[in-house]
Amino acid sequence: MFMTDKNLQKLRLQIIDETDGGKFSKLIEKLLKKYASTDREYVLEILTDYAKNGQILHWRNFLLNDIIELVNEGEANYVEFFEWCVTQPELTYWGIDGLLKTNGRKSFSALIEILKNESLKTSIRAKAIKSISVFSKQPFDRELPKDPGHWKVEDLRIEEIETWQKNGFQDGEGYTQPKTHISLENPKTELEKIASKLNKKLEAQRTKNQDLSNPANLLTIADETDILNIEKRWKLPENYLTFLKNYSPLKVFINSRKYFQGLHLYGASDLIKRQEGYSFNPVTNKTIDEWPENFVVIADAGADPYCIDINQIKENDAPIYTSIHGNGEWKFELYADSFLTFLKEIAGR
């Protein structure tokens, strides 16, 4: 039995009776802001009761995030509630996180049954795997989108998880941050300073969205094999080659009004592959005659290529050309007089 003030009891009745979504949202905001810290358990009673019996169906799901935020790690009183949530199709997705937070490793078996259940939506099964991966530090989510809603059935590593289950749910080591060059923190040359500035720009995006199971927007030290393969194929200007070696873009996407649909800046690991559709046809396995053989595509904005001209290498650099795709023929125009100028623009002045 909770001893509560009359205003809180009145607010509870208002929440129960309200049928307008906008007004309901304001009531919940008031509840959390005014009472969550002082009457946490009673607030949780209000929220969990609404999740079970509330009139506005979509809000029953939305409230789970607030409930999960309010409960403590290992708080056993709420295990039964979340066990019920994962049996309700409309609540299962977020109920998974609540069950893990309150019941920890003891919830693994139940969640594995969810991810194996082919009658459930793929997004729910994927969510179970993603949450287990984060909690156990096992790489079942490696190289997959951060949002499990974008996973496909073939992405679900069920056999791997079943083997892990048989071996006693051992904790993993988690993911390590890709290696970066020391000069990003202490730049001296012009290239180093521009790369460092770009890295700081990307850092803001990483802070918001980084998921080390599928890292992105990083400037990393390139794999030596990738560099060797690149050097076998092209003679690149020193500035660009050094950039690839020391600051190889890892899934770098520049979100800018200047570039149509953003700019993808290629790294050493995908530079050769990214020539497909421009200089090379992967279907016929042949080079495309119309493409200038001296143009290496180093980035694209909405498939519009940005190419470095390796026939015009001068003072360790080369100009960048671009063209609009889909017009029947390529009409290249000079975009930047050097790679460093191009990189400086991307990094921001």
Side-chain angles (χ1 to χ4, degrees), residues 3 6 38 43 78 86 88 91 99 114 118 123 132 223 226 230 235 242 246 257 269 285 304 320 327 340:
M3 298 297 292
K6 292 182 179 180
T38 57
V43 169
Y78 298 97
V86 298
Q88 308 301 306
L91 302 179
L99 188 56
I114 289 174
E118 296 181 3
S123 60
I132 287 174
D223 185 277
D226 290 331
I230 288 170
K235 179 176 174 53
T242 301
N246 296 341
R257 287 179 295 179
S269 63
N285 203 34
D304 293 346
I320 306 298
N327 286 344
L340 287 187

Side-chain angles (χ1 to χ4, degrees), residues 192-209:
E192 290 173 355
K193 290 176 181 178
I194 299 171
S196 178
K197 188 172 184 179
L198 175 58
N199 183 57
K200 289 178 181 177
K201 181 176 183 176
L202 296 173
E203 190 173 13
Q205 296 183 47
R206 295 197 299 268
T207 301
K208 292 179 182 178
N209 303 308

Side-chain angles (χ1 to χ4, degrees), residues 24-89:
F24 182 86
S25 176
K26 291 179 180 179
L27 290 173
I28 293 298
E29 183 179 354
K30 179 180 179 180
L31 174 71
L32 294 172
K33 187 175 182 179
K34 192 170 183 179
Y35 297 106
S37 60
T38 57
D39 296 87
R40 183 185 71 94
E41 291 185 24
Y42 189 67
V43 169
L44 277 168
E45 181 182 293
I46 294 172
L47 297 178
T48 54
D49 181 63
Y50 197 94
K52 289 182 176 181
N53 307 302
Q55 296 187 76
I56 308 177
L57 297 181
H58 65 274
W59 266 102
R60 293 170 64 183
N61 181 34
F62 291 165
L63 290 179
L64 283 188
N65 281 321
D66 295 318
I67 296 170
I68 293 169
E69 183 70 24
L70 285 175
V71 298
N72 297 319
E73 296 280 349
E75 194 164 9
N77 292 345
Y78 298 97
V79 171
E80 185 177 346
F81 168 73
F82 287 115
E83 286 179 336
W84 172 81
C85 285
V86 298
T87 67
Q88 308 301 306

Side-chain angles (χ1 to χ4, degrees), residues 229-241:
N229 289 333
I230 288 170
E231 290 180 317
K232 287 178 183 178
R233 183 154 180 172
W234 303 292
K235 179 176 174 53
L236 298 175
E238 190 62 31
N239 281 344
Y240 181 54
L241 185 60

Side-chain angles (χ1 to χ4, degrees), residues 20-187:
D20 181 273
K23 293 179 180 178
F24 182 86
S25 176
K26 291 179 180 179
L27 290 173
I28 293 298
E29 183 179 354
K30 179 180 179 180
L31 174 71
L32 294 172
K33 187 175 182 179
K34 192 170 183 179
Y35 297 106
S37 60
T38 57
D39 296 87
R40 183 185 71 94
E41 291 185 24
Y42 189 67
V43 169
L44 277 168
E45 181 182 293
I46 294 172
L47 297 178
T48 54
D49 181 63
Y50 197 94
K52 289 182 176 181
N53 307 302
Q55 296 187 76
I56 308 177
L57 297 181
H58 65 274
W59 266 102
R60 293 170 64 183
N61 181 34
F62 291 165
L63 290 179
L64 283 188
N65 281 321
D66 295 318
I67 296 170
I68 293 169
E69 183 70 24
L70 285 175
V71 298
N72 297 319
E73 296 280 349
E75 194 164 9
N77 292 345
Y78 298 97
V79 171
E80 185 177 346
F81 168 73
F82 287 115
E83 286 179 336
W84 172 81
C85 285
V86 298
T87 67
Q88 308 301 306
E90 71 277 10
L91 302 179
T92 302
Y93 192 93
W94 294 115
I96 289 167
D97 285 340
L99 188 56
L100 271 170
K101 186 173 184 179
T102 55
N103 207 28
R105 298 171 60 87
K106 295 177 183 177
S107 64
F108 284 164
S109 293
L111 297 185
I112 288 174
E113 291 306 309
I114 289 174
L115 66 90
K116 290 165 58 178
N117 188 343
E118 296 181 3
S119 68
L120 294 174
K121 293 180 180 178
T122 301
S123 60
I124 293 176
R125 300 171 69 194
K127 173 63 176 175
I129 295 178
K130 180 67 178 179
S131 295
I132 287 174
S133 300
V134 173
F135 192 93
S136 67
K137 297 183 180 180
Q138 288 286 355
F140 305 130
D141 58 344
R142 61 189 178 277
E143 299 179 359
L144 292 173
K146 179 180 180 180
D147 182 354
H150 297 305
W151 294 17
K152 301 175 183 177
V153 172
E154 53 266 32
D155 294 329
L156 308 182
R157 297 184 168 103
I158 296 175
E159 290 185 7
E160 190 175 323
I161 292 171
E162 287 179 325
T163 300
W164 172 68
Q165 181 181 26
K166 291 177 183 177
N167 291 332
F169 301 126
Q170 295 180 347
D171 285 338
E173 297 180 357
Y175 296 102
T176 57
Q177 185 87 9
K179 292 182 179 179
T180 57
H181 201 273
I182 191 172
S183 61
L184 287 176
E185 300 301 325
N186 186 27

